[in-house]
């Protein structure tokens, strides 16, 4: 039994939806990289007082992630069967 | 503040929570779920991630290690922000398989293996003990803070007794909340709403303290930054390994912690809710973390040297004379601790009862699935498990001395539960993951964690001897618990995390690669990994369902309760279009029932119980082959049915034809009766009339002779008619004596033509013959055969209506049989009459009533039957055509 062939090109709506999901998959990776960044500039013992600035940086990244996730969430939760199908 | 008031406010708070839970339960019971299951409640219920560790411990953590505390919240943030990757799949699987706990999920994925359920349960219970001890410790400490406030009024004589009171109270509260009923899907609307309320309380408390600290004590944000820079934790000592490791382990823990799994998947897992929580929960965590550093900094600045930084949340407001704020903070901390303990112990109790107690009980009493009250046993075992879990937590608290930093204790638990992660991820994304691999991975990870982190946490000389610490297990140097394989100088937590996760994953993958999964396991693996491909595909059918519906009902009642079970069965019966409460135990129904029961007692137990009723303990390859065999038999049977059906159709057609013939014959018979009487009467009438005239006398002699001749002719006609009738009845009875002998067919036809030429001698017939083909000898009764030929030729002479009549006689020999065709060039016999010409007294027309009573062809048919041959009408030959078939050599019949 052959599975129905997936369309090669999608309509604009479903294309957007898929890219939205791609974005949702990339977001945690981006977040992880941003959160691990302090390792690069705060190696162990430094004389500089960096708790305050690094704290601001981390919370800024955090808020950024929350905002982007909030923007993506409605589109992701909407799982109505999209207008999949070939571009014509 | 008097201790009594403190205790009283705690009790009042608990009573309030209980009321909230009770109202929610009642509302849910009335079916008005509504906002009880909304994304907001869902997000708030997730906040049990933030326990007393967050509320008290985070400040202490920040005071000790600066910004590192935030890793515990960054991990979950990443997991939730990336919900599309993992959590969504978990939620869908959890809903589809009616998963009741993380142990149930793992057990279900690997072929409903009970062994795995036990391993995960054990791991979860052991890993939870430090975590529960942490909550007890924090509540005890917070009581202690208020106690020390009034030096002489009331002192806590013994911290351990406080802890035991707290543990007992929490156990009671949890039992009242969590085990009141045994729900079909292990959902506790009351508890969820209560922890949502607690989530608000702890957030408000923390924000209130934070705002007080920033604007009340520090004098605004700008001022605060200067204070941070001036504080002891101004220079943040980031250790890259710990930083990354802690983000990873907290991310793993938020997925694997039994209580997180409970609220995230079991209670109310829905994609819609998860979408909201994907940003709202990280936001909650952010708000909870926002004021940790300021509070820690101000605490370090204001509080005397040596005071416990874990209690800054309380001591700071108290020292500033903010009693009400301290009270709010106390309630916030109390909320954090109680909600964690309640949900954690409900989750653990579910796991213990479903994966440890029930299987043992079912094994000890195999008939119990039918006879015992399973509900009672399940609830009892859960209550005992709650008490057991809290007792273990209390014992850990006593053994560890109750003095360690809260965050350090919590991290031990985190690394413990993170051991489930490789198996979980493997199970969800890798179809090659096997049960034995999972067991190997979990046991390895559990052992390494216990040896390198859990047991050492009691301190040197407590669980592990000092010698083991220094020389390694059995004196082997590379087995030192904090320097495995000779890796020294690593942070102990990171060391344990690294080795346990690496060895766990390696064991899991290697054993999976080299083992072969069983049939159920493979089906479940496919169902889990490809969950989005075929949402409806069940794990396995009860194809050979021989279950008695009544037995199923009895068992379901024991688990779901009488009314719920009856409702389920009645609904199914209605769906099947039956009255009453007993539907047929179709495979679909049994599979659905199993999932429903799995919601109460776990997949493995439900499977075992259904198996006992259906009469199948496990599914083996033999079973599957038997099923396949059965399918083949069914297919064969249906093919047989199909052929039977065709035969029936054929028979019906024949019957219909026979019926038509009978109807026609009956009409003919009526016609004949009048005809035969007519046939018999006509000669009889003439005979009577002429014989009367003759008896009167006085007749000229020529008249007498004439009348006598007429009487004679009529008598002959009568005799011939009676002869025919007699002949026919003899032939029909089969009692005719055949006079067999060799005869030349050509001569027979010659004889027949000569005899038949007397019929209507005035007509000139052209006879077409093929003499050479006729020249063959047949062994038969020559006289009878000639009788048939004469009849056919006479008929042709009588009825052929062509102007220049012709008769064609063809002889063929084939396979021991001879066929002789007589075809004339008349108009033939109409189709509707072809069926009846061989019947007795059938006469098609009255136009040429040349003797005979319509018995000729009937006699022919009987003769041919006696000669072992047939006679039939050949349609479509351009005229009336008859075919006589007879065997070349007729043997004397045995009969």
């Amino acid at each position: 039994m052959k599975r129905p062939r997936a369309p090669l090109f999608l309509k604009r709506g479903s294309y957007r939806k898929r890219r939205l999901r791609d974005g949702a998959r990339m977001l945690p990776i981006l977040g992880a990289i941003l959160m691990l960044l302090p390792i690069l500039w705060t190696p162990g013992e430094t004389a500089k007082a960096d708790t305050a600035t690094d704290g601001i940086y981390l919370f800024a990244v955090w808020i950024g992630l929350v905002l982007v996730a909030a923007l993506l969430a409605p589109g992701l939760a909407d799982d109505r069967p999209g207008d999949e199908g070939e571009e014509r | 503040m008097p201790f009594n008031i403190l205790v009283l406010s705690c009790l009042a708070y608990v009573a309030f929570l209980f009321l909230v839970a009770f109202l929610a339960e009642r509302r849910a019971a009335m079916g008005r779920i509504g906002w009880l299951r909304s994304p907001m409640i869902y997000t708030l219920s997730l906040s049990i991630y933030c326990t007393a560790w967050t509320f008290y411990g985070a400040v202490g953590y920040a005071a000790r290690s600066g910004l590192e505390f935030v890793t515990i919240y960054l991990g979950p943030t990443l997991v939730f922000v990336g919900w599309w990757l993992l959590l969504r799949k978990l939620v869908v699987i959890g809903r589809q398989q009616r998963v009741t706990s993380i142990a149930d999920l793992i057990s279900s994925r690997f072929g409903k293996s009970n062994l795995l359920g036990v391993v995960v349960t054990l791991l979860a219970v052991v890993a939870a003990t430090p975590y529960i001890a942490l909550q007890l410790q924090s509540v005890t400490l917070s009581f202690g803070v208020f106690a020390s406030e009034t030096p002489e009024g009331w002192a806590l004589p013994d911290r351990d007794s406080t802890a035991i009171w707290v543990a007992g109270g929490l156990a009671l509260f949890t039992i009242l909340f969590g085990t009141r009923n045994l729900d079909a899907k292990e959902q506790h609307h009351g508890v969820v709403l209560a922890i949502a309320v607690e989530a608000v309380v702890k957030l408000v408390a923390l924000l209130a303290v934070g705002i007080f600290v920033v604007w009340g004590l520090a004098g605004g944000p700008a001022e605060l930054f200067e204070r941070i820079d001036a504080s002891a934790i101004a220079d943040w000592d980031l250790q890259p390994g710990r930083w990354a490791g802690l983000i990873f382990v907290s991310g793993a823990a938020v997925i694997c912690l039994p209580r997180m799994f409970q609220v995230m998947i079991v209670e109310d897992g829905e994609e819609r809710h998860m979408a909201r929580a994907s940003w709202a929960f990280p936001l909650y965590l952010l708000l909870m973390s926002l004021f940790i550093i300021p509070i820690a900094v101000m605490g370090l600045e204001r509080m005397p040297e040596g005071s416990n930084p874990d209690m800054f949340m309380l001591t700071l407001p108290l020292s500033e004379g903010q009693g009400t704020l301290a009270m709010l903070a106390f309630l916030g901390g109390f909320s954090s601790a109680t909600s964690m303990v309640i949900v954690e112990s409900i989750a653990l109790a579910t796991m213990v009862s479903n994966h440890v107690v029930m299987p043992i009980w079912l094994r000890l009493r195999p008939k119990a699935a039918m006879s015992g009250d399973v509900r009672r046993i399940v609830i009892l075992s859960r209550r005992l498990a709650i008490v057991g879990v809290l007792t273990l937590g209390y014992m850990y608290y006593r053994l560890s001395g109750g003095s360690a930093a809260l965050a350090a204790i919590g991290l031990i638990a985190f690394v413990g539960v993170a051991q489930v992660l490789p198996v979980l991820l493997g199970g969800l994304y890798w179809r090659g993951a096997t049960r034995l691999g999972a067991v190997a991975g979990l046991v390895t990870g559990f052992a390494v964690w216990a040896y390198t982190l859990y047991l050492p946490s009691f301190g040197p000389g407590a669980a592990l001897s000092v010698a083991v610490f220094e020389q390694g297990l059995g004196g082997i140097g590379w087995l030192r618990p904090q320097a495995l394989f000779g890796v020294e100088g690593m942070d102990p937590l990171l060391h344990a995390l690294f080795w346990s996760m690496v060895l766990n994953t390696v064991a899991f993958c290697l054993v999976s690669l080299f083992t072969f999964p069983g049939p159920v396991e493979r089906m479940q693996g496919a169902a889990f990994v490809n969950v989005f491909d075929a949402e409806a595909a069940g794990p396995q059918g009860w194809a050979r369902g021989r279950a008695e519906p009544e037995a199923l009902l009895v068992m379901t009642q024991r688990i779901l309760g009488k009314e719920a079970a009856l409702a389920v069965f009645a609904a199914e019966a209605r769906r099947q279009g039956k009255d009453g409460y007993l539907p047929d135990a179709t495979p679909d129904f049994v599979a659905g029932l199993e999932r429903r029961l799995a919601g109460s007692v776990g997949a493995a137990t439900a499977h075992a119980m259904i198996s006992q009723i259906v009469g199948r303990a496990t599914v083996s390859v033999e079973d599957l082959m038997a099923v396949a065999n059965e399918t083949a038999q069914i297919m064969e049977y249906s093919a047989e049915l199909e052929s039977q059906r065709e035969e029936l159709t054929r028979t019906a057609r024949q019957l219909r034809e026979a019926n038509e013939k009978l109807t026609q014959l009956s009409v003919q018979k009526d016609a004949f009766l009048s005809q035969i009487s007519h046939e018999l009467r006509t000669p009889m009438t003439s005979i009577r009339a002429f014989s009367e005239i003759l008896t009167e006398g006085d007749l000229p002699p020529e008249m007498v002779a004439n009348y006598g001749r007429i009487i004679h002719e009529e008598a002959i006609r009568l005799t011939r008619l009676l002869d025919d009738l007699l002949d026919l009845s003899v032939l029909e009875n089969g009692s005719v004596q055949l006079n067999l002998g060799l005869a030349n067919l050509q001569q027979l036809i010659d004889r027949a033509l000569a005899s038949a030429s007397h019929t209507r001698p005035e007509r000139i017939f052209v006879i077409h013959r093929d003499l050479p083909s006729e020249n063959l000898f047949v062994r038969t009764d020559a006289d009878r055969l000639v009788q048939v030929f004469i009849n056919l030729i006479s008929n042709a002479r009588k009825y052929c209506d062509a102007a220049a009549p012709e008769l064609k006689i063809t002889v063929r020999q084939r396979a021991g049989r001879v066929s002789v065709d007589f075809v004339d060039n008349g108009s033939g016999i109409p189709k509707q009459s072809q069926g009846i010409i061989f019947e007795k007294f059938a006469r098609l027309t009255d136009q040429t009533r040349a003797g005979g009573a319509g018995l000729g062809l009937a006699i022919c048919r009987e003769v041919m039957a006696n000669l072992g041959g047939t006679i039939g009408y050949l349609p479509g030959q351009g005229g009336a055509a008859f075919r006589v078939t007879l065997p070349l050599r007729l043997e004397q019949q045995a009969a």
Side-chain angles (χ1 to χ4, degrees):
Chain A
M1 198 171 67
K2 260 179 82 176
R3 293 173 71 172
R5 195 177 64 91
L8 196 55
F9 301 105
L10 297 167
K11 282 185 184 173
R12 196 178 181 81
S14 20
Y15 183 86
R16 279 283 130 245
K17 190 165 248 176
R18 294 219 177 160
R19 296 297 82 80
L20 190 71
R21 290 172 185 172
D22 290 349
R25 290 189 187 98
M26 293 171 193
L27 188 60
I29 300 169
L30 175 75
I33 292 171
L34 290 177
M35 284 173 185
L36 291 177
L37 272 188
I39 291 175
L40 295 181
W41 70 67
T42 317
E45 305 291 330
T46 47
K48 220 173 94 231
D50 45 14
T51 297
T53 46
D54 282 4
I56 290 174
Y57 166 76
L58 284 174
F59 278 96
V61 168
W62 204 338
I63 287 182
L65 284 177
V66 168
L67 286 180
V68 176
L71 286 177
L72 293 180
L76 293 173
D78 175 27
D79 58 351
R80 280 175 303 184
D83 46 348
E84 311 248 329
E86 304 247 4
E87 169 95 50
R88 19 191 123 242
Chain B
M1 187 185 304
F3 186 62
N4 291 344
I5 293 185
L6 194 66
V7 172
L8 211 63
S9 55
C10 278
L11 289 178
Y13 180 67
V14 168
F16 165 70
L17 284 183
F18 199 82
L19 187 70
V20 168
F22 177 74
L23 290 178
E25 292 271 330
R26 216 178 60 170
R27 202 181 154 85
M30 289 190 297
R32 292 187 300 169
I33 307 271
W35 53 268
L36 288 180
R37 300 190 57 183
S38 63
M40 197 184 76
I41 299 289
Y42 181 69
T43 307
L44 286 175
S45 73
L46 288 177
S47 73
I48 49 157
Y49 181 74
C50 302
T51 63
W53 170 0
T54 302
F55 201 83
Y56 296 123
V59 176
Y61 199 164
R64 291 181 185 103
S65 318
L67 270 176
E68 194 180 282
F69 84 94
V70 91
T71 53
I72 304 305
Y73 311 100
L74 291 183
T77 297
L78 288 179
V79 168
F80 269 82
V81 160
W83 69 290
W84 196 257
L85 280 177
L86 174 64
L87 294 183
R88 172 167 161 265
K89 193 166 192 177
L90 261 185
V91 165
V92 172
I93 289 176
R95 191 183 54 220
Q96 213 176 76
Q97 303 277 334
R98 286 177 174 262
V99 168
T100 58
S101 64
I102 181 130
D104 194 33
L105 180 91
I106 302 285
S107 138
S108 195
R109 159 62 179 84
F110 294 98
K112 312 194 178 182
S113 148
N114 205 35
L115 174 67
L116 266 176
V118 172
V119 171
V120 178
T121 303
L122 207 67
L123 177 66
V125 169
V126 174
T129 49
Y131 215 158
I132 287 174
L134 186 162
Q135 314 303 323
L136 295 180
Q137 182 175 331
S138 68
V139 175
T140 312
L141 282 176
S142 63
F143 271 114
V145 166
F146 281 90
S148 60
E149 179 73 3
T150 50
E152 69 288 319
W154 51 277
L156 280 178
D158 185 4
R159 288 200 340 206
D160 294 343
S161 71
T162 315
I164 215 166
W165 276 106
V166 172
L170 285 174
L172 186 70
F173 191 55
T174 309
I175 288 172
L176 286 176
F177 259 130
T179 61
R180 285 198 314 145
N181 54 358
L182 190 60
D183 192 86
K185 206 185 164 294
E186 211 55 62
Q187 287 169 332
H188 311 80
H189 295 291
V191 176
V192 169
L193 192 64
I195 59 178
V197 169
E198 294 194 290
V200 175
V201 170
K202 61 194 179 196
L203 183 64
V204 167
L206 214 151
L207 289 180
V209 175
I211 288 166
F212 165 72
V213 165
V214 172
W215 279 275
L217 296 181
E223 189 83 356
L224 180 77
F225 283 123
E226 284 170 24
R227 283 171 193 266
I228 291 176
D229 282 341
S231 73
I233 55 170
D235 185 21
W236 170 37
D237 181 19
L238 185 145
Q239 300 171 26
R242 265 181 83 90
W243 181 256
L246 289 180
I247 290 182
F248 168 76
V249 82
S250 61
V254 82
I255 304 166
C256 301
L257 275 171
R259 68 171 192 282
M260 286 311 289
F261 195 88
Q262 175 80 25
V263 290
M264 193 159 65
I265 312 292
V266 181
E267 293 286 356
D268 195 13
E270 245 183 68
E271 281 172 273
R272 188 168 59 93
H273 297 172
M274 186 59 86
R276 173 76 70 86
S278 74
W279 60 269
F281 180 58
L283 184 65
Y284 185 93
L285 293 178
L286 186 146
L287 291 176
M288 290 294 278
S289 319
L290 199 54
F291 292 109
I292 299 293
I293 288 279
I295 295 169
V297 166
M298 292 312 293
L300 286 173
E301 189 183 307
R302 298 272 173 118
M303 298 307 292
E305 195 81 10
S307 54
N308 187 352
D310 281 336
M311 286 295 124
F312 280 170
M313 282 292 293
L314 292 180
T315 48
L316 205 54
L318 273 180
S319 67
E320 299 298 324
Q322 298 287 339
T324 322
L325 191 60
M327 187 66 213
L328 182 63
F330 173 80
L331 280 185
F334 188 71
S335 286
S336 316
T338 50
S339 58
M340 180 274 176
V341 172
I342 289 167
V343 181
E344 184 86 11
S345 48
I346 286 177
L348 289 176
T350 307
M351 281 156 71
V352 169
S353 84
N354 286 358
H355 295 282
V356 181
V357 178
M358 286 307 292
I360 291 175
W361 190 71
L362 280 177
R363 182 153 304 176
L364 291 181
R365 298 175 54 192
K367 294 280 161 237
M370 287 294 304
S371 56
D373 189 348
V374 180
R375 273 166 72 76
R376 209 168 45 78
I377 300 289
V378 170
I379 289 187
L380 185 69
S381 69
R382 287 192 187 174
R383 290 181 177 161
L384 290 177
I386 287 170
V387 173
V389 164
L390 278 163
T391 310
L392 284 176
Y394 175 72
M395 278 165 60
Y396 186 95
Y397 167 72
R398 286 290 301 273
L399 283 174
S400 65
S403 58
L406 295 177
I409 307 175
L411 283 173
I412 296 171
F414 267 28
V415 178
V417 292
Q419 301 307 322
V420 181
L421 188 73
V423 171
L424 182 73
L425 288 183
L428 291 188
Y429 293 99
W430 184 32
R431 278 182 65 178
T434 69
R435 187 175 67 94
L436 289 176
V439 172
L442 283 172
V443 169
T444 309
F446 182 56
V448 174
W449 166 75
Y451 183 64
T452 58
L453 195 62
Y454 183 71
L455 295 179
S457 73
F458 294 104
L464 296 174
S465 67
V466 181
V468 171
F469 267 95
E470 284 169 1
Q471 273 105 39
L473 197 64
I476 306 168
W478 52 272
L479 277 185
R480 273 170 294 163
Q482 297 188 333
L484 272 188
F485 306 109
V487 180
E488 285 181 67
M490 242 170 137
D491 173 65
L493 183 88
L494 200 62
H495 170 266
L497 174 68
F498 176 77
W499 282 120
S500 62
M501 290 311 279
V502 166
L503 295 178
N504 178 341
T505 311
V506 166
F508 170 52
C509 293
L510 274 187
V511 177
S512 287
L513 287 179
F514 287 105
T515 49
F516 194 80
V520 181
E521 211 181 320
R522 295 175 75 176
M523 286 164 111
Q524 289 289 82
F528 272 58
V529 175
N530 304 330
V531 66
F532 294 116
D533 290 354
E535 278 228 15
Q540 70 159 102
W542 292 97
R544 297 204 296 150
R546 281 192 300 272
E548 276 297 310
E550 197 166 347
L552 283 174
L553 176 63
V554 170
M555 184 194 68
T556 312
Q557 280 183 9
R558 310 252 181 248
I559 295 172
L560 298 182
K562 196 170 171 193
E563 286 311 312
L566 282 177
V568 169
F569 275 66
E572 176 66 14
R574 255 200 314 284
R575 208 181 58 72
Q576 292 182 1
K578 296 174 79 171
D579 282 335
Y581 291 100
L582 288 181
D584 290 334
T586 59
D588 279 352
F589 173 60
V590 177
L593 194 66
E594 184 192 335
R595 274 203 292 279
R596 199 178 277 270
L597 294 183
S600 286
V601 292
T605 307
H607 193 69
M609 294 178 88
I610 296 258
S611 295
Q612 283 186 0
I613 286 185
V614 178
R616 182 158 49 126
T618 50
V619 176
S620 60
V621 179
E622 285 74 30
D623 278 326
L624 289 178
M625 280 168 66
V627 172
N629 213 2
E630 234 166 59
T631 316
Q633 278 176 13
I634 288 169
M635 282 167 71
E636 204 172 288
Y637 180 62
S638 70
E640 211 167 276
L641 278 181
E642 181 67 17
S643 72
Q644 279 180 3
R645 196 182 65 84
E646 272 169 21
E647 203 181 310
L648 279 177
T649 321
R650 237 183 351 260
T651 315
R653 202 166 50 234
Q654 285 167 352
L655 280 175
R656 214 163 29 242
E657 281 170 9
N659 189 36
E660 273 168 24
K661 208 149 106 183
L662 280 175
T663 323
Q664 235 169 334
L665 278 178
S666 148
V667 172
Q668 273 182 356
K669 200 171 213 158
D670 289 345
F672 171 71
L673 276 178
S674 61
Q675 201 163 9
I676 191 80
S677 52
H678 180 71
E679 294 285 344
L680 289 173
R681 262 178 93 131
T682 317
M684 283 305 278
T685 315
S686 331
I687 291 170
R688 219 175 68 200
F690 285 111
S691 56
E692 258 176 34
I693 296 169
L694 285 176
T695 39
E696 278 172 15
D698 298 343
L699 284 169
E702 65 271 25
M703 290 271 280
V704 172
N706 192 22
Y707 290 166
R709 191 178 45 80
I710 290 173
I711 290 173
H712 182 240
E713 277 178 4
E714 291 300 304
I716 287 175
R717 208 170 122 191
L718 259 180
T719 315
R720 203 171 60 222
L721 184 62
L722 292 173
D723 278 349
D724 278 359
L725 283 172
L726 202 64
D727 202 12
L728 193 63
S729 85
V730 167
L731 285 165
E732 277 184 343
N733 288 338
S735 52
V736 64
Q737 198 64 42
L738 291 179
N739 187 13
L740 293 183
L742 276 180
N744 188 303
L745 196 57
Q746 193 183 351
Q747 287 171 5
L748 297 183
I749 295 175
D750 286 343
R751 257 171 72 190
L753 281 170
S755 304
S757 59
H758 301 300
T759 313
R760 294 185 70 180
E762 74 280 5
R763 299 195 72 178
I764 313 291
F765 249 76
V766 181
I767 310 290
H768 299 283
R769 293 175 66 183
D770 180 19
L771 294 177
S773 68
E774 289 173 11
N775 191 7
L776 52 91
F777 283 87
V778 292
R779 180 184 153 86
T780 187
D781 186 327
D783 293 339
R784 286 294 186 181
L785 190 57
V786 170
Q787 186 189 355
V788 172
F789 288 171
I790 292 170
N791 213 309
L792 291 176
I793 297 166
S794 316
N795 276 353
R797 293 187 80 98
K798 271 188 252 176
Y799 302 115
C800 181
D801 48 5
E806 291 177 10
L807 179 67
K808 190 173 167 190
I809 301 173
T810 322
V811 176
R812 283 194 202 86
Q813 185 197 345
R814 181 173 300 161
R817 290 181 85 80
V818 182
S819 67
V820 187
D821 292 357
F822 296 86
V823 184
D824 67 24
N825 60 344
S827 56
I829 296 170
K831 191 167 186 311
Q832 70 271 19
S833 310
Q834 285 169 10
I836 56 162
I837 49 175
F838 292 105
E839 304 302 333
K840 280 172 278 186
F841 309 115
R843 219 174 356 200
L844 301 183
T845 54
D846 278 345
Q847 57 175 359
T848 42
R849 298 184 44 198
L855 290 174
L857 283 174
I859 292 173
C860 288
R861 191 179 64 174
E862 294 306 324
V863 169
M864 288 318 296
N866 276 286
L867 291 181
T870 56
I871 179 169
Y873 185 78
L874 287 181
Q877 300 297 317
F882 291 88
R883 168 170 288 179
V884 176
T885 318
L886 66 153
L888 202 54
R889 301 267 179 272
L890 176 66
E891 304 301 330
Q892 190 66 48
Q893 283 155 309

